[in-house]
Amino acid sequence: MIIDCHGHYTTAPRQHEGWRSEQIEAHKAGKPSPPRPRITDDEIRESIANGQLKVQHERGTDLTIFSPRAAGMGHHLGDAATSEAWASACNELIHRVCSLFPKNFIGVAMLPQSARVSPRNCLREIDRCVGEYGFVGVNLNPDPSGGHWQDPPLSDRYWYPVYEKMAEHDIPAMIHVSAACNPAYHTTGSHYLNGDTVGFNQLMTSSVFKDFPTIKFVIPHGGGAVPYHWGRFRGLAQDAKLGLLSDLMLNNIFFDTCVYHLPGQELLAKVIPAENILFASEMIGAVRGIDPETGHHYDDTKRYIDQLPLSAEEKGKIFESNARRVYGRLSRIIEEQSARAI
Ligand SMILES: [Zn+2]
């Protein structure tokens, strides 16, 4: 089985994002939110069958760990109440996709975060998504301000209620920012990669893994700048007398393969052990075009991994078994959803 651990519902029916705009406009005007729009099963089926499912079939992958559109989370918009209603609507839609295509999609939740609002606010939604929807992870935004970095770092006990909940449910968090509202950043070009790198560095200099020995984080987009600068981080850990970086991080930190060219994948696989790499493409998402140098989509990341000089066993870890290990509930949910599909 080939498991893509990073996909977003970027093709959701139009009225879903339309409602979000109306919700934020109503909030600005001090009015109550409009009622949620009707979205039919057929509309969802069509948006997936002509989108992510089609791409799965074309590329020969089997299952996508699927979450709401990341740039659409918009934790900097509205307030705690609008974030809660929006996260609830987005997660419900993911659950509907997973119910309609139980063999192809398993859910991950977005969280109802807001800048400078305690992440305790997220706990009920985590319980709901794991308990009622069978979701296997969460996307945790280290910067709900959208590029102004107003919240404490991930090392701070501020975040511990979420970490306790992750440990309780045996679910990992993908560290994933949302859209940037700071014009200094391009959302997918710099803010995403920056969020990945910042998150790694914050955790590296923290006692989070001493306090939560089993907790797991996925750093997306190939780990931002981290694998490329592995020597710098090793040296920083050494200077700070934190010990060996691999001992410090690699029981708890995993990198996905959303790197859109072969040389980048080669570096990732050379620097990071195969045990810590999870196959992912983030399709349909940040980069949608075709690379004129290869004639293939930039985000067709399976092609790059197929070309890496790794053993079949190592590739098996990257494509499947690491995901089953990191997402502790995944194997059980695969069985449950497959049984439902028959
Ligand atoms: Zn993403």
Side-chain angles (χ1 to χ4, degrees):
M1 181 182 269
I2 296 187
I3 302 170
D4 183 337
C5 81
H6 186 173
H8 303 291
Y9 195 10
T10 48
T11 57
R14 262 198 322 251
Q15 62 269 42
H16 176 61
E17 301 264 350
W19 180 78
R20 169 63 164 173
S21 304
E22 290 168 15
Q23 182 213 30
I24 293 300
E25 285 309 311
H27 175 263
K28 280 184 194 155
K31 293 179 183 165
S33 290
R36 292 249 303 269
R38 190 174 124 79
I39 299 172
T40 65
D41 284 355
D42 281 345
E43 286 175 307
I44 295 175
R45 269 195 208 96
E46 196 187 322
S47 73
I48 291 290
N50 295 324
Q52 289 82 356
L53 190 68
K54 187 166 155 253
V55 178
Q56 277 186 5
H57 289 154
E58 284 168 1
R59 297 182 185 176
T61 66
D62 300 297
L63 173 72
T64 302
I65 298 179
F66 205 49
S67 60
R69 193 171 74 87
M73 297 191 295
H75 293 129
H76 58 283
L77 300 170
D79 60 12
T82 55
S83 279
E84 197 178 319
W86 178 231
S88 169
C90 290
N91 290 329
E92 186 191 310
L93 210 51
I94 294 298
H95 173 57
R96 290 180 66 189
V97 170
C98 299
S99 302
L100 291 168
F101 300 95
K103 284 189 156 176
N104 302 93
F105 298 93
I106 284 180
V108 154
M110 74 172 260
L111 299 179
Q113 296 180 247
S114 288
R116 290 167 294 175
V117 173
S118 166
R120 277 184 195 285
N121 257 29
C122 302
L123 304 186
R124 203 173 56 178
E125 185 65 3
I126 297 174
D127 283 338
R128 195 175 77 86
C129 288
V130 172
E132 291 178 26
Y133 293 164
F135 285 10
V136 297
V138 295
N139 289 336
L140 181 65
N141 184 348
D143 175 27
S145 73
H148 294 281
W149 295 93
Q150 294 169 339
D151 287 79
L154 295 174
S155 50
D156 197 279
R157 296 187 78 85
Y158 179 80
W159 298 95
Y160 275 30
V162 172
Y163 301 162
E164 284 163 9
K165 201 45 95 178
M166 289 163 60
E168 179 193 324
H169 288 307
D170 191 17
I171 54 170
M174 180 174 278
I175 294 174
H176 205 311
V177 294
S178 185
C181 63
N182 178 342
Y185 296 123
H186 181 280
T187 293
T188 50
S190 54
H191 187 46
Y192 276 23
L193 304 181
N194 189 29
D196 306 337
T197 312
V198 169
F200 178 88
N201 204 0
Q202 290 176 348
L203 290 169
M204 181 185 113
T205 52
S206 78
S207 55
V208 170
F209 304 144
K210 287 196 182 75
D211 296 337
F212 300 93
T214 63
I215 204 168
K216 293 181 177 65
F217 293 94
V218 179
I219 314 277
H221 320 112
V226 172
Y228 193 63
H229 285 288
W230 197 242
R232 173 178 291 252
F233 291 108
R234 283 176 57 221
L236 287 171
Q238 187 175 317
D239 289 351
K241 307 209 181 318
L242 297 172
L244 283 176
L245 186 61
S246 50
D247 293 347
L248 191 63
M249 300 299 275
L250 292 181
N251 287 325
N252 308 91
I253 291 276
F254 301 83
F255 299 92
D256 83 8
T257 66
C258 295
V259 174
Y260 294 158
H261 65 152
L262 180 59
Q265 297 279 1
E266 288 170 339
L267 181 133
L268 177 67
K270 199 169 177 182
V271 172
I272 302 298
E275 287 72 22
N276 292 79
I277 301 174
L278 273 65
F279 170 66
S281 68
E282 205 179 21
M283 65 87 178
I284 298 167
V287 174
R288 302 191 181 206
I290 289 173
D291 184 346
E293 291 181 12
T294 65
H296 299 290
H297 286 89
Y298 288 98
D299 68 359
D300 186 355
T301 54
K302 180 172 170 294
R303 282 178 182 278
Y304 310 131
I305 297 158
D306 287 340
Q307 293 173 67
L308 294 177
L310 297 174
S311 68
E313 192 196 343
E314 287 170 318
K315 288 185 186 177
K317 288 178 181 173
I318 292 172
F319 281 130
E320 180 178 3
S321 59
N322 290 342
R324 290 182 184 267
R325 187 161 51 91
V326 171
Y327 294 81
R329 306 174 77 89
L330 181 61
S331 288
R332 185 156 63 81
I333 300 295
I334 288 174
E335 277 181 30
E336 283 180 19
Q337 291 198 184
S338 296
R340 216 174 301 146
I342 293 163

